[in-house]
Amino acid sequence: MYAQAFFVTVFGLAAIGFGVVVFRTSSMVRSALALLFSQTAVGCMFLAMQTEFLGVLQIMMMATEMSIMAIFMVMFMMDPGGLGGMDMSHQKRFSIGAGGSAAVVAIAVALLSNWGPAAEQVVDAEAQTRALGMELLGRSMMIFETAGITILTAMIAATAVAIPVQNLASKDDKEASE
Amino acid sequence: MTVAIVLLALFGSAWLLAVIEGWMVTGRLSPAAPLFSGLAHLGRESILPRSPDRVFFEAAPVLLLVVAVLGMAVLPLAPDLIIADLGTGALFINAALAYVLVAVIMAGWGPDGAYAMIGGWRFLGQLIAYSMLIVMPITAVAMRAESLLNTAIVGSQAVLWNIVYQPLGFVLFFIAAMALAFRAPFDLPTAEGELGGGVDAEYTGVRLAVLRLARLTLVVTLASATTVFYLGGWHGPLLPPWAWSLIKTLAVAVSMLLVGRYLPRIREADLMRWCWILGIPLALLNIIIVGLLILVVP
């Protein structure tokens, strides 16, 4: 129990630490990877809390997602490789206010909610995975499908916006060069 | 004890693979060559590029090695010879191997060199091509075993190996595994003769030795995963279970090297196109076929 609390604390602090690094570096790639390791630490917190499936899933998804985010940022900022030094913090006063109040709300929710009695026993990872699968393909199916379609739409829209408008002349040039 | 045995098997296989690779390239069978080559690397100067991102530059080779070892930790060599038989084992391999991308991007970006950086970003494109082809066949394998436990997955193949039960999945997984290990013909991030070594370009000395070891280990880990998922793992007549696991793993690893040796390097755009237009529909088809088989054949 104490070991569990210890590791949850350590990974929690690591998550916050990497979160701070996101805004302290001067490069987008470093910032994106710091965010990745922050999210990985959250995944490790899941593991420490014995929710194995969610932890592994979080650790897996974040690696690819954050790397793809890095290349998208590099592409949109016109900074190949992201080597140009840049300030990662924008709208400082507003974001400090927003971040501070969000932190207060999150802490208030954590402290004031009635979480019920702490679980003494946790079912093993296999049973958890099975229960999660039943949940995803039963009651929560509509919610997850809707979320999936929404994310897909957003991705297609973002890609469509990112592709520059081609005029016919340049298309001919391209075909000729190929 | 188990940890020591599995690690020994992993690095021993990596060494054997290096010997075989040398044999294929030079035509000479010299078992000590990888050892001498490694020692030579340790003796050489480890050059630091002019303005590196020091953390990424140093972390990348180590992270790649750690990732390969972590992946191996959930793969059984024999019924009891497994470091951690996780309830989410089949998923955990994906999670560990996702960090190959992170390591390669770090290796590409860290040294602040053009070739390395292009190599790193190339691997991201490569991931977008192969990642679905890793996950979807594993899904079909887990469907048959009705479990994500890797031992259960091997157990489900006691009578009929998955390579026969779902050959389509095997082919897709094999190709995707080669792309993940960035061996030829999928060696776009390193691309000797075209990118000047790519992500390898700026590494020398000890760091290069670790990077090379990590890449070989990665091949062994992926070959072992192929064995567990498709070739019935430890199942086989006469020989003890661990021997079958090793033989199959080495056979898969060598076939990966052989395939790579006789095929030209693929273009990034072609890889992406084939994986998305052909590969993903086939992977979905594989899931449907396996699903129907599970429903129809008891």
Side-chain angles (χ1 to χ4, degrees):
Chain A
M1 198 67 194
Y2 286 114
Q4 211 170 0
F6 172 76
F7 281 112
V8 170
T9 313
V10 166
F11 288 126
L13 289 175
I16 295 171
F18 279 117
V20 171
V21 173
V22 170
F23 297 99
R24 302 289 297 173
T25 60
S26 55
S27 111
M28 290 174 297
V29 177
R30 229 180 284 167
S31 176
L33 288 193
L35 192 54
L36 154 64
F37 286 116
S38 176
Q39 299 291 340
T40 310
V42 174
C44 293
M45 281 172 78
F46 278 126
L47 288 184
M49 289 187 279
Q50 284 175 270
T51 48
E52 198 178 300
F53 189 89
L54 289 180
V56 172
L57 198 67
Q58 166 92 357
I59 291 171
M60 176 177 89
M61 299 303 287
M62 284 308 147
T64 41
E65 276 169 20
M66 292 302 155
S67 308
I68 289 169
M69 191 183 80
I71 201 168
F72 263 80
M73 293 204 302
V74 169
M75 285 194 300
F76 279 121
M77 302 273 180
M78 294 308 289
D79 180 13
L83 284 169
M86 63 178 292
D87 189 7
M88 297 308 295
S89 55
H90 304 287
Q91 293 175 282
K92 275 190 189 162
R93 197 170 294 167
F94 175 73
S95 37
I96 288 172
S101 39
V104 169
V105 170
I107 293 168
V109 168
L111 293 180
L112 301 178
S113 298
N114 177 22
W115 293 102
E120 297 288 330
Q121 290 272 319
V122 187
V123 289
D124 64 346
E126 257 192 295
Q128 282 179 30
T129 310
R130 190 176 172 77
L132 198 63
M134 289 299 174
E135 179 71 30
L136 285 184
L137 292 175
R139 207 167 52 118
S140 308
M141 193 163 179
M142 271 313 280
I143 301 167
F144 272 87
E145 292 302 316
T146 316
I149 294 292
T150 312
I151 294 169
L152 185 64
T153 315
M155 286 197 294
I156 293 172
T159 315
V161 171
I163 296 171
V165 180
Q166 287 180 332
N167 58 31
L168 284 171
S170 67
K171 200 182 170 194
D172 288 343
D173 288 348
K174 207 175 160 194
E175 277 166 8
S177 66
E178 281 174 3
Chain B
M1 192 61 195
T2 317
V3 178
I5 296 173
V6 173
L7 282 183
L8 199 70
L10 180 62
F11 290 121
S13 305
W15 166 74
L16 259 177
L17 206 59
V19 173
I20 294 169
E21 198 181 12
W23 188 23
M24 272 162 42
V25 175
T26 60
R28 279 196 310 275
L29 189 62
S30 47
L35 206 64
F36 289 140
S37 163
L39 281 176
H41 274 308
L42 296 186
R44 271 178 209 141
E45 186 189 9
S46 214
I47 300 164
L48 200 64
R50 196 183 302 143
S51 56
D53 192 319
R54 195 67 194 266
V55 178
F56 285 1
F57 185 68
E58 305 283 3
V62 182
L63 181 62
L64 197 61
L65 188 61
V66 168
V67 160
V69 173
L70 270 182
M72 192 67 207
V74 293
L75 293 169
L77 287 177
D80 297 326
L81 208 56
I82 176 169
I83 294 177
D85 195 13
L86 289 185
T88 51
L91 188 72
F92 183 87
I93 294 186
N94 271 309
L97 295 180
Y99 285 79
V100 171
L101 167 75
V102 180
V104 174
I105 285 185
M106 279 179 163
W109 196 74
D112 189 15
Y115 289 144
M117 194 179 295
I118 294 170
W121 291 135
R122 267 187 179 187
F123 193 66
L124 186 60
Q126 195 162 320
L127 166 112
I128 292 170
Y130 74 70
S131 65
M132 284 296 128
L133 300 188
I134 287 275
V135 180
M136 286 180 175
I138 294 183
T139 308
V141 167
M143 275 163 67
R144 189 187 175 200
E146 294 184 18
S147 172
L148 291 174
L149 282 171
N150 284 329
T151 43
I153 286 174
V154 176
S156 73
Q157 304 173 63
V159 180
L160 188 66
W161 293 1
N162 270 337
I163 190 173
V164 185
Y165 193 87
Q166 32 190 316
L168 187 57
F170 169 75
V171 173
L172 293 172
F173 185 82
F174 186 82
I175 294 170
M178 278 179 69
L180 206 170
F182 53 110
R183 304 294 309 196
F186 302 106
D187 56 346
L188 290 162
T190 48
E192 280 143 32
E194 175 193 335
L195 254 195
V199 290
D200 282 353
E202 310 285 344
Y203 282 97
T204 43
V206 184
R207 300 188 184 94
L208 184 62
V210 176
L211 201 64
R212 291 237 167 109
L213 177 67
R215 285 192 65 188
L216 275 174
T217 318
L218 189 62
V219 175
V220 177
T221 301
L222 281 162
S224 180
T226 313
T227 307
V228 167
F229 292 150
Y230 289 97
L231 299 178
W234 64 72
H235 291 298
L238 297 174
L239 293 174
W242 59 265
W244 275 113
S245 285
L246 278 183
I247 291 170
K248 287 175 189 174
T249 302
L250 274 175
V252 174
V254 170
S255 57
M256 279 182 180
L257 296 188
L258 270 177
V259 170
R261 203 158 155 67
Y262 294 105
L263 286 178
R265 184 176 301 136
I266 195 166
R267 275 181 57 204
E268 179 103 15
D270 289 340
L271 176 67
M272 201 95 83
R273 176 174 299 147
W274 290 340
C275 283
W276 278 79
I277 293 181
L278 194 64
I280 293 179
L282 285 178
L284 284 171
L285 184 70
N286 178 50
I287 290 179
I288 293 169
I289 293 172
V290 173
L292 287 176
L293 278 175
I294 291 168
L295 286 180
V296 175
V297 187

